[in-house]
Amino acid sequence: MGEYPGYPEEFWESIEKVEETRERRLKEVYRRITPEEKEELLRKWHPDYRPEGKRKLRIGPNKGDSVPNEVADLLEAHALINPDEISLEEVDYDVDILIIGGGGAGASAALWANYSGVPADRILIATKLRFGDANTKMAQGGIQAADRPNDSPVLHFIDVIGGGHFANKPELVRALVEDALRIIKWHEELGVMYDKDEEGNFIELSGGGTCRKRLHAAKDYTGLEIMRVLMDEVLNKEIPILEFSPAVELLMDDKGQVAGAVLVNLETKEYLVVRAKATILATGGFGRLHIQGFPTTNHYGATMDGVVMAYRIGAHLVDMDSVQYHPTGAAYPEQIVGQLVTEKVRGLGAQLVNAEGEQFIYPLEPRDVVASAIIRECYGRNKGIITPTGMRGVWLDSPMIEIIHGEGTIKRYLAAMYRQFKRFGIDITKEPILVFPTLHYMNGGVEINVYAQALYPNGDPIPGLFAAGEVTGGVHGKNRLMGNSLLDVNVFGRRAGISAARHVKHASIGKLTLNHVKRWEEMLKKEGIKTDRRAPILLPDYRGPRVLSRAINIGI
Amino acid sequence: MRMSQAKTTVKQPKMKMVTIYVMGKKYEVPEGLTILKALEYVGYRLIRGVGCRAGFCGACATVYRFKDDYKLYTGLACQTTVKDGMYLVMIPFVPAKKPVYDIEKLKPDASTVISIFPELTRCVACNTCTKSCPQEIQVMDAVQEILRGNLEKAAHMVFDCIACGICSMRCPAEIVHYHVFQLVRRLYGKYIAKKSKHLEDKLKALEEGAFKEELDKLVTAGPSVWKRLYESREIEK
Amino acid sequence: MKKMRKIMYYPGCTIKTYGQRYEKTAIAVAKALGFELIELPRWNCCGVVYGLSEDSVFHHIAPTRNLIRAQEFSRELGTNDLTTLCSMCYHVLKRVNDYLRSNPEALEKLNKFMDDEEDYEGGINVVHYLTILRDDIGFDKISEKVRRRLNGAKVACYYGCMLVKPRETGIDDPEDPLIMDELMESLGAEAIDYPFKTECCGAYHIVSDKEIVKKRAVKIIKAALDRGAEIIATTCPLCHYNLEKGMEMAGKELRRKVLLVYFTELLAFALGLDDSLEKNVLKELKRLIGGEK
């Protein structure tokens, strides 16, 4: 630490311009974008609108829908397993509720299923990596809930549905904003250390697209703090967890119900058959697919497994054409490219500034607007900085925060960020941060209803299948607001747990089958899809080019 | 140290390269990679020891040394850049059983923490934990504050802990710091920090149906109504 | 007005959790007598029991770190004197300090190991609170300041073992210490002579084998009671805890109960510092000794 050189020589000319305009800009508020300007900006510059980035799905419940190529690649792929090689006679785990995924949604679901009366040993959480390794831990800025006197769930509703381009399912939005207050109360009771003032009220900030200050935060480690408290409680309840055992296929029974899953022990490569009366998908997002080549803020295992498995059994997906690029991912140094620079930095007053030191967009427009504006600034107007590795970016003027809120604010409320950059010789209290949009969130996913049941295209619930968190679609419409994802995993994780608990009281599983995989393979043939690809991919492959060119299979 | 001294005849690409040793085996990697990316560059497809790749989850704890230097360094593989001569290994797991407790039945004081973690009193103030922490936490001082009952102070001191486990691996008193700290933080958050009156009031209003009518209307109102409301809403400064 | 003499103060873990009464009265008494106890801004557990194996670098780290803290603070405060109230803390801090001052090799080894700290140079003086009262203030001066004479109250002074042993470390004679007795006499009390005043209370056996503590407590308290003691004064929070717990466990084995206080509480009472005393302690003392200042 400390010997790292910080920004290279060639950046300093621009940084000095940023410093020169800072005093003037402190009094400047860039105007808000009009709805017409917004439409044009998105259409021209948002990656979702690039026709080369997408194609129409050729198979399955959403056949004909336009989705990103990387998503289509996985949805139009073969299963990982060959049903003829899997014996379903011997069941390794027989439980009431199987939860696939150990992030915020999975942990919430497990706890609420337990609170609702399902004994701990009748629940099983299967995780791909460690319990808790999920995007939840990396969420920084906050969680929304309308608890301040000048706020209300009604205003929260309007913010969510507006941010989502009015495409959200309104009943899901209602569930989100109402449950928000109950979730925060639950967290208080569990002992989550939210930032509070001397009276005990939460210190709340604005987020992009919010009309009130309602982001509750725990410094800039909000997701980490919530996740580790939930993890602690799951461990206290002694709910069994199988780590490093991702699901690779859902199981069905001869009555058409989802009946559990086939897991694979990543370390021993053996498959495990889990029979469950209810299965909850909580597998998170798809950042590691690097859509359109973007770097990502997501954790190592974010490969859309749940969507793939649900799609194969006929679940309906919504809004898969909509990808959230977080406007501010780190663009320098190369070691941390793509990593999240939380919206909270803008919430605390930092402005987005081009290489000339001038603002070009109001920092707290919704994410898709800001992301598009930055891309336009770098590639359309060529007013961005180009790094030694060819990455482009604009400045996020963080030193403004120290001026507006007092010296020490960054070290206190953006401790994680401060440390992250300090490790590479950059002091964000004195120097602006270089940022560029990064692949961040899967806005859409498996369609659910307010009971967190996964749905068929005709709206009927898929018996035995529930879903919660980033894997689902319909809550956020075409664009999620900051602070609503941490809320989503808790609200719908809870609902999934409660619904599953109710379901298992009367459910009974018939004969296990993988016939849906056989049917899928037939469908691929019928649609003329020729491919080697198999899905889910489980983990990305970052091995260097030389190694890949010389890799051989030696049977061990 | 047994190092693989074999020299490869294959020409390396024209970037500036540095030499690292992974569990004793020598590799050339491009300068400027993080340890994590360097491991992947040389061919490791990691299952253990990778998590968020951004410094939040503690999965990639790494221990390393340099030639002619007795010092043992620690860091996170995803946030530490490789240096020439780095001799490293990752520690993907620290054996540590988490004790089970019911937070509803606990009191927020030192004796509660010590009864669940009696080994905490074995601390000899050697400060090895503080020296190992990649998050710059004053680990030993936090342990001391807990021993004398200052749970609030300790909770804030250890807030940035990502449970990487390096401190616990090296502690001669065999304390598992991150488990102790998790309990202390929860005790603070639940019992010592004041409860929010705003939240209570709003929740009461919600349960009494204060928002029911408006939300009922909103849910069925449709995009044109929502659009109008959204574009005309007043934004708090 | 004469500026108050400042002395660095090391509290120790037990004082902060169990012995708050002791600390409160000690600070108030010090103030009344013209010196100020300034708590070290940063300190750690003293390491409690002195490692009998002197080679053990590890067991010297915790106390040495505190001496370094004192060294850092001494530059700010302008004094090298470090005082403490707890007998265990006093014992280990003084003993390690003496050991390091007389063993340059050991000091060097420890300094080298603790490479995260400045080197300890051996300049700190560890001095017990009672010693300050006797040598720096003087018992007769204290006597002059007494507002409530203790009316011949029969006080048995319990020293315990850590305060007075071994001879090189202790604050008074290991077999027959009199420092606390003399202090009590200067306050107007009658110091009771009894045979077990330096007998160990059982120390940490209270955690693992309570019977041992009970037996010892009964022996000590009975001996004091047999010679007419109404009050037992202690100098150590662990001794206080053990005697109290022992008394509880003994129940009817002891024919009557005795009031257990810290010597600083008697001092505070005698000096009329009622605000520093806990309400029920003040009440009991008034009842036993008589109230008016």
Side-chain angles (χ1 to χ4, degrees):
Chain A
M1 283 206 232
E3 326 97 56
Y4 292 102
Y7 288 124
E9 264 313 302
E10 57 261 40
F11 285 12
W12 278 98
E13 196 188 315
S14 176
I15 296 178
E16 273 157 25
K17 287 196 187 138
V18 173
E19 288 171 350
E20 274 161 34
T21 58
R22 187 174 294 143
E23 211 185 303
R24 189 223 324 142
R25 282 186 289 108
L26 276 162
K27 306 187 207 86
E28 245 174 45
V29 178
Y30 203 88
R31 64 172 181 80
R32 301 304 297 259
I33 198 170
T34 67
E36 298 77 37
E37 286 173 326
K38 173 171 167 173
E39 228 196 278
E40 197 189 324
L41 174 62
L42 292 178
R43 202 171 20 90
K44 279 216 179 112
W45 294 101
H46 195 274
D48 275 355
Y49 290 76
R50 287 183 68 233
E52 318 83 78
K54 295 195 156 93
R55 68 171 189 266
K56 288 192 167 29
L57 279 172
R58 295 176 284 168
I59 185 175
N62 286 65
K63 183 170 164 186
D65 286 357
S66 225
V67 299
N69 287 321
E70 294 82 355
V71 171
D73 287 345
L74 290 189
L75 294 181
E76 294 172 349
H78 299 278
L80 273 185
I81 57 169
N82 179 348
D84 295 329
E85 290 168 8
I86 306 284
S87 164
L88 298 175
E89 296 300 317
E90 209 184 309
V91 171
D92 296 282
Y93 294 91
D94 205 334
V95 295
D96 285 350
I97 303 178
L98 169 65
I99 300 173
I100 302 177
S108 284
L111 286 171
W112 283 93
N114 186 239
Y115 296 156
S116 305
V118 181
D121 58 2
R122 299 298 302 159
I123 304 172
L124 179 65
I125 303 175
T127 74
K128 181 153 63 185
L129 301 172
R130 302 173 308 168
F131 177 44
D133 279 344
N135 285 341
T136 309
K137 254 193 190 173
M138 307 169 71
Q140 296 181 22
I143 177 173
Q144 286 197 42
D147 59 5
R148 282 166 86 242
N150 69 346
D151 198 0
S152 96
V154 174
L155 291 170
H156 191 180
F157 182 104
I158 298 171
D159 281 345
V160 176
I161 210 144
H165 302 195
F166 315 108
N168 329 34
K169 284 178 79 167
E171 62 274 22
L172 295 181
V173 177
R174 184 196 189 146
L176 188 76
V177 304
E178 279 186 341
D179 281 1
L181 297 169
R182 300 182 181 113
I183 291 295
I184 303 289
K185 187 79 186 122
W186 175 48
H187 285 176
E188 241 191 354
E189 293 302 319
L190 287 176
V192 174
M193 278 175 69
Y194 284 113
D195 294 334
K196 285 182 167 177
D197 62 23
E198 300 88 52
E199 270 109 66
N201 287 316
F202 302 97
I203 298 177
E204 298 178 42
L205 291 174
S206 305
T210 64
C211 68
R212 293 287 179 277
K213 295 187 166 136
R214 69 171 86 92
L215 267 327
H216 299 63
K219 290 167 75 169
D220 58 348
Y221 281 114
T222 314
L224 173 63
E225 173 59 10
I226 294 174
M227 188 73 234
R228 63 191 179 191
V229 172
L230 292 181
M231 280 169 73
D232 193 52
E233 199 58 5
V234 169
L235 293 169
N236 280 339
K237 299 289 181 202
E238 297 184 280
I239 295 171
I241 304 170
L242 267 184
E243 290 183 328
F244 293 93
S245 306
V248 296
E249 201 66 52
L250 289 172
L251 278 174
M252 297 195 77
D253 73 359
D254 55 2
K255 297 191 253 175
Q257 303 180 103
V258 169
V262 176
L263 313 179
V264 173
N265 181 328
L266 280 185
E267 292 168 311
T268 61
K269 306 287 181 5
E270 57 180 314
Y271 69 82
L272 301 160
V273 175
V274 180
R275 176 165 55 205
K277 294 184 182 158
T279 303
I280 304 178
L281 282 178
T283 53
F286 61 5
R288 292 286 155 189
L289 300 184
H290 294 291
I291 297 182
Q292 298 207 39
F294 273 84
T296 181
T297 58
N298 284 198
H299 83 115
Y300 190 49
T303 50
M304 203 180 79
D305 300 358
V307 172
V308 170
M309 294 188 289
Y311 198 61
R312 278 207 278 268
I313 61 155
H316 188 235
L317 308 178
V318 289
D319 299 323
M320 282 309 289
D321 58 331
S322 169
V323 177
Q324 184 169 81
Y325 296 88
H326 193 287
T328 56
Y332 188 86
E334 204 281 331
Q335 289 89 339
I336 58 173
V337 155
Q339 282 176 25
L340 184 64
V341 172
T342 178
E343 195 157 307
K344 188 166 172 173
V345 179
R346 288 173 278 145
L348 283 168
Q351 290 168 350
L352 285 161
V353 174
N354 62 24
E356 307 292 309
E358 298 298 341
Q359 287 196 75
F360 55 91
I361 187 87
Y362 179 68
L364 288 175
E365 297 284 3
R367 287 178 174 179
D368 48 0
V369 172
V370 182
S372 309
I374 295 175
I375 298 175
R376 175 177 63 185
E377 207 66 15
C378 288
Y379 286 92
R381 299 177 179 168
N382 285 315
K383 292 219 183 126
I385 301 280
I386 304 180
T387 76
T389 57
M391 185 71 196
R392 296 196 190 200
V394 296
W395 297 112
L396 182 54
D397 198 7
S398 46
M400 290 176 68
I401 298 175
E402 300 283 278
I403 303 176
I404 299 172
H405 295 277
E407 215 179 289
T409 304
I410 288 181
K411 278 200 186 140
R412 178 111 196 268
Y413 292 104
L414 293 171
M417 188 127 307
Y418 179 76
R419 179 173 295 122
Q420 198 161 29
F421 283 89
K422 194 171 88 147
R423 286 190 175 118
F424 298 100
I426 297 169
D427 182 351
I428 64 174
T429 63
K430 300 198 176 61
E431 298 155 348
I433 308 172
L434 196 68
V435 297
F436 190 79
T438 172
L439 179 57
H440 188 55
Y441 190 78
M442 191 172 82
N443 288 320
V446 175
E447 189 183 357
I448 54 168
N449 60 19
V450 295
Y451 302 106
Q453 293 172 301
L455 305 177
Y456 283 119
N458 65 0
D460 286 347
I462 301 174
L465 187 62
F466 302 83
E470 194 170 353
V471 72
T472 66
V475 179
H476 306 289
K478 297 286 181 208
N479 175 51
R480 174 180 70 76
L481 297 180
M482 171 200 190
N484 277 341
S485 180
L486 280 177
L487 183 56
D488 181 357
V489 302
N490 279 282
V491 168
F492 289 98
R494 173 176 168 273
R495 284 174 175 246
I498 294 174
S499 297
R502 200 168 35 228
H503 176 85
V504 304
K505 284 207 184 87
H506 308 289
S508 80
I509 299 295
K511 187 166 149 61
L512 294 177
T513 168
L514 281 170
N515 283 341
H516 57 284
V517 179
K518 291 203 167 132
R519 277 199 299 275
W520 178 263
E521 294 297 330
E522 281 159 23
M523 262 204 285
L524 281 172
K525 261 205 214 101
K526 191 162 139 247
E527 302 289 352
I529 296 173
K530 290 188 176 36
T531 176
D532 293 331
R533 284 197 214 97
R534 294 154 78 209
I537 63 168
L538 299 179
L539 292 174
D541 193 345
Y542 293 128
R543 288 177 294 172
R546 174 171 172 69
V547 165
L548 282 174
S549 68
R550 307 273 267 190
I552 61 168
N553 184 347
I554 55 170
I556 58 166
Chain B
M1 290 203 253
R2 291 165 65 229
M3 304 188 273
S4 165
Q5 297 285 9
K7 282 193 167 29
T8 171
T9 53
V10 176
K11 270 216 300 240
Q12 296 296 341
K14 278 210 177 310
M15 309 169 249
K16 183 142 184 286
M17 310 291 270
V18 296
T19 304
I20 63 169
Y21 300 85
V22 180
M23 289 183 284
K25 281 185 81 159
K26 181 174 168 187
Y27 292 102
E28 303 280 317
V29 297
E31 192 185 39
L33 288 182
T34 56
I35 295 175
L36 187 61
K37 289 186 183 166
L39 285 169
E40 289 169 331
Y41 179 86
V42 306
Y44 283 88
R45 186 131 185 238
L46 296 163
I47 293 174
R48 291 262 177 188
V50 198
C52 69
R53 305 180 71 105
F56 285 86
C57 72
C60 57
T62 308
V63 172
Y64 57 94
R65 283 195 152 103
F66 293 98
K67 194 168 188 288
D68 299 332
D69 184 356
Y70 70 87
K71 276 209 163 311
L72 192 62
Y73 296 95
T74 57
L76 299 173
C78 69
Q79 301 291 295
T80 310
T81 312
V82 292
K83 287 228 277 283
D84 196 53
M86 206 179 231
Y87 199 83
L88 65 90
V89 73
M90 285 177 76
I91 314 269
F93 188 83
V94 173
K97 241 184 144 317
K98 191 201 106 65
V100 165
Y101 47 79
D102 182 353
I103 193 108
E104 299 288 338
K105 300 207 168 88
L106 298 180
K107 286 208 188 68
D109 55 28
S111 52
T112 300
V113 182
I114 291 170
S115 65
I116 298 175
F117 299 101
E119 61 277 9
L120 197 66
T121 54
R122 276 160 54 97
C123 173
V124 295
C126 70
N127 219 19
T128 305
C129 51
T130 308
K131 291 196 263 190
S132 317
C133 180
Q135 296 283 88
E136 300 166 309
I137 297 172
Q138 298 291 316
V139 187
M140 180 198 72
D141 287 309
V143 169
Q144 294 297 319
E145 293 293 344
I146 296 169
L147 284 172
R148 68 188 84 129
N150 297 338
L151 299 193
E152 176 164 357
K153 184 157 181 218
H156 287 288
M157 283 172 84
V158 304
F159 191 79
D160 296 1
C161 174
I162 55 175
C164 69
I166 299 175
C167 55
S168 308
M169 273 309 295
R170 304 207 59 211
C171 175
E174 292 154 310
I175 298 168
V176 184
H177 308 69
Y178 54 93
H179 281 157
V180 178
F181 294 163
Q182 179 66 73
L183 173 61
V184 170
R185 283 192 306 262
R186 285 190 72 186
L187 287 173
Y188 167 72
K190 183 175 172 69
Y191 292 113
I192 302 176
K194 291 208 184 104
K195 293 282 192 291
S196 165
K197 183 97 198 353
H198 286 169
L199 178 63
E200 243 183 82
D201 292 342
K202 222 21 150 249
L203 199 47
K204 188 153 172 283
L206 175 72
E207 306 293 7
E208 285 170 356
F211 310 108
K212 184 173 180 328
E213 212 184 303
E214 267 191 279
L215 284 171
D216 283 342
K217 273 199 253 161
L218 267 179
V219 166
T220 51
S224 46
V225 174
W226 296 331
K227 200 164 191 289
R228 187 178 36 85
L229 288 168
Y230 182 67
E231 284 162 13
S232 62
R233 79 207 197 290
E234 214 185 287
I235 299 178
E236 185 180 6
K237 287 275 164 284
Chain C
M1 189 162 109
K2 200 168 98 182
K3 215 165 155 210
M4 285 239 254
R5 177 183 164 201
K6 293 189 189 344
I7 302 191
M8 295 187 284
Y9 164 55
Y10 173 83
C13 308
T14 320
I15 294 257
K16 288 297 188 189
T17 48
Y18 180 74
Q20 283 158 21
R21 297 165 33 182
Y22 191 8
E23 183 180 73
K24 199 162 176 210
T25 46
I27 292 175
V29 166
K31 210 153 173 215
L33 296 177
F35 65 103
E36 225 184 313
L37 298 183
I38 314 282
E39 184 175 325
L40 292 176
R42 189 182 161 204
W43 53 271
N44 48 265
C45 173
C46 67
V48 197
V49 187
Y50 182 74
L52 286 179
S53 161
E54 285 187 342
D55 276 357
S56 169
V57 167
F58 238 50
H59 290 105
H60 290 122
I61 294 175
T64 308
R65 208 182 282 282
N66 285 314
L67 293 170
I68 294 174
R69 295 284 162 268
Q71 184 175 276
E72 288 166 349
F73 198 43
S74 72
R75 293 192 286 267
E76 206 185 299
L77 226 52
T79 171
N80 283 333
D81 291 339
L82 176 69
T83 190
T84 186
L85 295 166
C86 168
S87 297
M88 308 286 286
C89 298
Y90 169 76
H91 182 104
V92 75
L93 286 173
K94 176 111 195 341
R95 215 158 157 195
V96 168
N97 199 28
D98 289 345
Y99 172 66
L100 294 176
R101 277 163 147 180
S102 55
N103 269 289
E105 242 178 64
L107 179 59
E108 191 187 334
K109 197 167 174 185
L110 210 52
N111 278 332
K112 266 220 173 90
F113 185 82
M114 293 170 72
D115 54 9
D116 48 328
E117 303 277 8
E118 64 185 49
D119 282 355
Y120 179 54
E121 282 150 25
I124 296 297
N125 303 321
V126 179
V127 56
H128 192 269
Y129 188 91
L130 275 169
T131 315
I132 298 177
L133 292 185
R134 183 189 61 193
D135 298 345
D136 295 355
I137 311 290
F139 289 166
D140 39 340
K141 277 277 178 330
I142 296 176
S143 193
E144 283 167 26
K145 291 203 151 106
V146 165
R147 312 268 293 277
R148 268 192 197 102
R149 297 217 62 84
L150 297 186
N151 285 342
K154 296 188 195 307
V155 178
C157 294
Y158 177 63
Y159 293 80
C161 55
M162 289 282 164
L163 194 57
V164 296
K165 298 177 187 142
R167 190 176 289 276
E168 308 78 54
T169 310
I171 66 169
D172 200 349
D173 186 274
E175 295 302 322
D176 190 18
L178 290 170
I179 184 171
M180 213 193 325
D181 298 64
E182 283 165 11
L183 175 61
M184 291 298 130
E185 298 265 322
S186 76
L187 301 178
E190 186 191 328
I192 299 291
D193 186 32
Y194 69 110
F196 298 126
K197 62 181 175 178
T198 63
E199 195 74 2
C200 176
C201 67
Y204 289 102
H205 285 90
I206 190 64
V207 178
S208 50
D209 197 337
K210 294 189 169 56
E211 263 305 300
I212 292 182
V213 170
K214 193 195 89 167
K215 281 201 186 110
R216 294 183 152 267
V218 165
K219 197 162 96 167
I220 295 162
I221 297 174
K222 192 165 182 303
L225 283 176
D226 281 350
R227 280 153 186 78
E230 301 166 298
I231 299 173
I232 293 184
T234 71
T235 63
C236 173
L238 184 55
C239 295
H240 190 280
Y241 187 85
N242 281 357
L243 289 181
E244 196 155 82
K245 273 276 171 300
M247 204 159 58
E248 257 173 54
M249 289 190 277
K252 292 275 188 273
E253 253 183 87
L254 291 166
R255 59 184 162 78
R256 63 180 172 86
K257 294 233 180 304
V258 69
L259 180 66
L260 274 171
V261 292
Y262 294 99
F263 74 91
T264 50
E265 291 177 306
L266 281 171
L267 252 176
F269 184 74
L271 293 173
L273 304 169
D274 291 7
D275 286 338
S276 69
L277 286 158
E278 238 174 58
K279 284 206 172 24
N280 51 331
V281 174
L282 179 59
K283 202 167 107 189
E284 277 303 300
L285 285 172
K286 277 188 178 164
R287 189 181 62 81
L288 278 174
I289 300 176
E292 299 327 305
K293 290 190 207 179

